[in-house]
Amino acid sequence: AQKVTQAQTEISVVEKEDVTLDCVYETRDTTYYLFWYKQPPSGELVFLIRRNSFDEQNEISGRYSWNFQKSTSSFNFTITASQVVDSAVYFCALDQVRQAGTALIFGKGTTLSVSS
Amino acid sequence: KAGVTQTPRYLIKTRGQQVTLSCSPISGHRSVSWYQQTPGQGLQFLFEYFSETQRNKGNFPGRFSGRQFSNSRSEMNVSTLELGDSALYLCASSLESSGADTQYFGPGTRLTVL
């Protein structure tokens, strides 16, 4: 069975602190995709990154960076120099490569609160 | 390009009623998926449609159904509403390609069942 675990339910930091959100996944597939989404208070899920299982290169986008380690089945997300606008719920998700279509499996989410 | 739109944004129903939610995908996107978000169960996949056909289905009772029209717009229906159906229903659209497409989500419809 496939599963995504985000062990951190809530994290509180002060602005400018770095913060890492953990994501551990389980799958028997050799080919799969991992995603991170952000959900601000408005409710809409905002896409952040998509990574396939064959690409273990870390990625950096501005203040955001992602560390994918297949050996530990983890896909962690780091925000550098956090800002109040980063306050949101962050979801890690997994999808297998199937014959057609998609069906994301989400973790429970991590609520990040950044105070000024 | 306009994003995914969902109507209505808020809905209040009573137990036993039925409800229909609507979703318009991003222009050019042919796949539409539906998810239910509750505080207890989190985000759960309901079903996915492509070319008016359901391709994938989550583990939900038959009271939950959907359809897709030729213009890729989609509706989902919940019959005989239960209190536990109160949730945020999110629609997502994606392009059709091999493998797992990136899904882009709408703002959701918040359903309250009294």
Side-chain angles (χ1 to χ4, degrees):
Chain A
Q2 297 185 316
K3 186 179 176 182
V4 176
T5 302
Q6 295 179 255
Q8 304 150 309
T9 306
E10 294 183 20
I11 300 177
S12 294
V13 299
V14 178
E15 252 190 328
K16 297 184 183 176
E17 278 187 43
D18 298 347
V19 58
T20 296
L21 309 181
D22 297 333
C23 172
V24 173
Y25 62 92
E26 294 175 30
T27 180
R28 291 183 180 178
D29 297 323
T30 55
T31 306
Y32 48 88
Y33 287 81
L34 295 164
F35 301 80
W36 275 95
Y37 284 88
K38 172 183 179 180
Q39 187 175 42
S42 60
E44 183 172 340
L45 283 170
V46 178
F47 166 74
L48 296 177
I49 190 171
R50 170 184 179 227
R51 178 54 52 93
N52 76 54
S53 53
F54 294 112
D55 182 2
E56 287 193 71
Q57 277 195 328
N58 292 333
E59 181 155 341
I60 298 174
S61 176
R63 296 184 298 106
Y64 295 170
S65 63
W66 290 270
N67 182 282
F68 177 29
Q69 291 197 335
K70 233 171 157 177
S71 59
T72 56
S73 297
S74 65
F75 186 42
N76 297 335
F77 172 32
T78 297
I79 301 174
T80 302
S82 59
Q83 300 176 0
V84 173
V85 293
D86 295 327
S87 297
V89 183
Y90 290 86
F91 291 95
C92 180
L94 166 71
D95 198 1
Q96 66 184 95
V97 176
R98 59 193 78 227
Q99 200 167 17
T102 184
L104 290 172
I105 295 169
F106 284 89
K108 294 291 190 186
T110 297
T111 300
L112 174 64
S113 298
V114 182
S115 58
S116 57
Chain B
K1 193 183 260 192
V4 177
T5 58
Q6 293 186 245
T7 56
R9 292 293 311 279
Y10 301 91
L11 211 46
I12 299 176
K13 292 286 187 179
T14 56
R15 277 181 300 175
Q17 287 187 310
Q18 76 166 16
V19 67
T20 299
L21 313 182
S22 180
C23 171
S24 293
I26 292 171
S27 177
H29 284 195
R30 299 170 67 192
S31 168
V32 173
S33 299
W34 290 89
Y35 292 82
Q36 181 197 64
Q37 185 176 23
T38 60
Q41 299 300 316
L43 276 156
Q44 293 184 286
F45 171 73
L46 279 156
F47 28 64
E48 185 225 359
Y49 286 88
F50 175 78
S51 287
E52 303 176 63
T53 300
Q54 186 181 88
R55 286 199 299 196
N56 292 291
K57 187 177 190 303
N59 189 24
F60 278 82
R63 299 186 298 107
F64 291 82
S65 63
R67 59 177 177 168
Q68 187 181 34
F69 302 96
S70 57
N71 61 359
S72 294
R73 193 177 68 83
S74 176
E75 289 181 347
M76 70 161 279
N77 184 277
V78 188
S79 62
T80 320
L81 284 166
E82 300 176 0
L83 294 179
D85 297 333
S86 294
L88 179 66
Y89 289 88
L90 292 161
C91 167
S93 73
S94 59
L95 289 166
E96 163 63 353
S97 68
S98 59
D101 286 322
T102 295
Q103 294 183 62
Y104 296 91
F105 285 79
T109 294
R110 187 163 295 281
L111 171 65
T112 302
V113 182
L114 302 176

